[in-house]
């Protein structure tokens, strides 16, 4: 049975400490998938909540010194209760403030998956500067995924024109997707939440699990772009939510374009 069916059967609770710009879209995307989102940030309740969660998403898009203690508390609780953590290091190469905090999290805690674009992952594992949240399209995502995965000894999802997934020495290239995902705010951030839902209760997710998660999301996006007015950003965003609900095992099996990299 594909993981998508397990997610929909169990509706895992995903705690999202994410950026202010994308909270609503992220929550709606998780609901459309069949998972259960919760947005919480106060240190006083995080450990109690995380005991009941299947996964935790940490997205630093609107990082501040005020939220940093809550992020660390959430990860500590997740590690204590064996709950997987997905880190989305948004724009981590733009400032030392962001980068050093992400590196601290990766050095001190167990992160199950790092999910970012090629520039972000390259910046974390090598001293490469970037601008904002945009990815450098000249970077080879498969090479970046392997380098980051080996450097941090964890699973990695790298997005770009061709996505890449690294787990335990193996890299998969994933060719599904649509440029429309770059036309709406939160396209990548929502993927981080989808990945979190797919790896619920698995602190060491498998390659097939992450490959399916990314492929599912990208196939849903392709279908969204093909619907009426799907090349218009507003319609695409609504279509994507619809297709996250309507895309299932058969659509994934028929449309997945995945290839292992030597």
């Amino acid at each position: 049975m594909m993981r998508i069916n397990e997610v929909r059967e169990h509706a895992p609770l995903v705690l999202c400490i994410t950026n202010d710009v994308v909270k609503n879209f992220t929550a709606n995307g998780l609901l459309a998938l069949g998972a259960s989102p919760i947005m919480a940030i106060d240190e006083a309740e995080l450990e109690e909540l995380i005991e009941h969660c299947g996964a935790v998403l940490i997205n630093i898009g609107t990082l501040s010194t005020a939220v940093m203690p809550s992020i660390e508390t959430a990860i500590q609780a997740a590690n204590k209760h064996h709950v997987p953590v997905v880190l989305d290091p948004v724009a981590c190469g733009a400032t030392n403030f962001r980068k050093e905090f992400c590196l601290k999290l990766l050095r001190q805690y167990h992160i199950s998956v790092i999910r970012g674009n090629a520039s972000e992952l390259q910046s974390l594992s090598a001293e490469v500067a970037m601008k904002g949240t945009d990815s450098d399209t000249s970077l080879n995502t498969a090479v970046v995924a392997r380098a980051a995965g080996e450097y941090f000894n964890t699973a990695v999802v790298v997005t770009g024109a061709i996505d890449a997934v690294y787990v335990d020495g193996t890299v998969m290239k994933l060719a599904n997707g649509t440029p429309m995902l770059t036309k709406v705010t939160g396209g990548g951030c929502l993927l981080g939440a989808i990945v979190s839902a797919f790896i619920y209760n698995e602190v060491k997710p498998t390659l097939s699990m992450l490959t399916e998660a990314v492929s599912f999301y990208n196939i849903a996006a392709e279908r969204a772009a093909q619907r009426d007015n799907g090349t218009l950003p507003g319609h695409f965003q609504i279509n994507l939510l619809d297709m996250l609900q309507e895309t299932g095992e058969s659509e994934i099996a028929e449309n997945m374009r995945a290839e292992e990299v030597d």
Side-chain angles (χ1 to χ4, degrees), residues 25 42 77 103 126 166 168-169 171-172 249 258:
F25 187 47
D42 198 299
L103 290 174
Y166 170 91
D168 292 335
V171 177
M172 295 289 290
E249 184 174 10

Side-chain angles (χ1 to χ4, degrees), residues 19 27 45 54 65 83-84 87 114 140 161 163 180 210 235 237 258:
N19 76 73
E45 66 172 354
T65 53
V83 176
L87 174 64
I114 311 170
N140 184 315
D163 300 328
M180 287 305 300
L210 292 175
H235 289 273
Q237 187 176 52

Side-chain angles (χ1 to χ4, degrees), residues 3-117:
R3 186 66 168 177
I4 181 70
N5 298 323
E6 297 177 16
V7 172
R8 287 172 173 163
E9 178 182 350
H10 296 287
L13 185 64
V14 180
L15 187 142
C16 304
I17 298 181
T18 190
N19 76 73
D20 296 336
V21 180
V22 304
K23 286 178 179 177
N24 181 269
F25 187 47
T26 299
N28 282 331
L30 283 172
L31 286 170
L33 164 64
S36 299
I38 181 168
M39 275 57 180
I41 201 167
D42 198 299
E43 290 180 81
E45 66 172 354
L46 283 173
E47 179 163 359
E48 186 177 356
L49 285 171
I50 287 168
E51 287 185 62
H52 306 288
C53 287
V56 172
L57 169 67
I58 303 296
N59 176 304
I60 68 156
T62 50
L63 186 64
S64 68
T65 53
V67 77
M68 284 177 170
S70 292
I71 290 175
E72 292 202 59
T73 295
I75 299 176
Q76 288 168 359
N79 287 176
K80 176 181 176 181
H81 296 289
H82 307 290
V83 176
V85 177
V86 175
L87 174 64
D88 193 332
V90 179
C92 63
T95 66
N96 285 329
F97 174 69
R98 290 170 179 268
K99 181 176 180 178
E100 290 306 315
F101 184 64
C102 287
L103 290 174
K104 178 184 179 183
L105 299 181
L106 289 161
R107 288 169 183 149
Q108 294 188 7
Y109 307 106
H110 177 71
I111 304 298
S112 295
V113 181
I114 311 170
R115 190 233 67 91
N117 64 44

Side-chain angles (χ1 to χ4, degrees), residues 73-203:
T73 295
I75 299 176
Q76 288 168 359
N79 287 176
K80 176 181 176 181
H81 296 289
H82 307 290
V83 176
V85 177
V86 175
L87 174 64
D88 193 332
V90 179
C92 63
T95 66
N96 285 329
F97 174 69
R98 290 170 179 268
K99 181 176 180 178
E100 290 306 315
F101 184 64
C102 287
L103 290 174
K104 178 184 179 183
L105 299 181
L106 289 161
R107 288 169 183 149
Q108 294 188 7
Y109 307 106
H110 177 71
I111 304 298
S112 295
V113 181
I114 311 170
R115 190 233 67 91
N117 64 44
S119 296
E120 290 161 348
L121 270 296
Q122 181 84 339
S123 177
L124 281 180
S125 53
E127 300 300 320
V128 177
M130 60 167 286
K131 296 180 180 179
T133 62
D134 295 330
S135 177
D136 181 348
T137 56
S138 69
L139 294 174
N140 184 315
T141 53
V143 172
V144 171
R146 185 181 297 280
E150 291 177 350
Y151 188 82
F152 294 111
N153 191 31
T154 193
V156 174
V157 172
V158 183
T159 53
I162 300 292
D163 300 328
V165 173
Y166 170 91
V167 178
D168 292 335
T170 303
V171 177
M172 295 289 290
K173 288 198 304 183
L174 310 177
N176 292 103
T178 169
M180 287 305 300
L181 283 168
T182 66
K183 303 298 183 182
V184 296
T185 297
C189 297
L190 177 52
L191 174 57
I194 298 294
V195 167
S196 301
F198 267 76
I199 70 166
Y200 78 93
N201 294 348
E202 298 289 342
V203 293

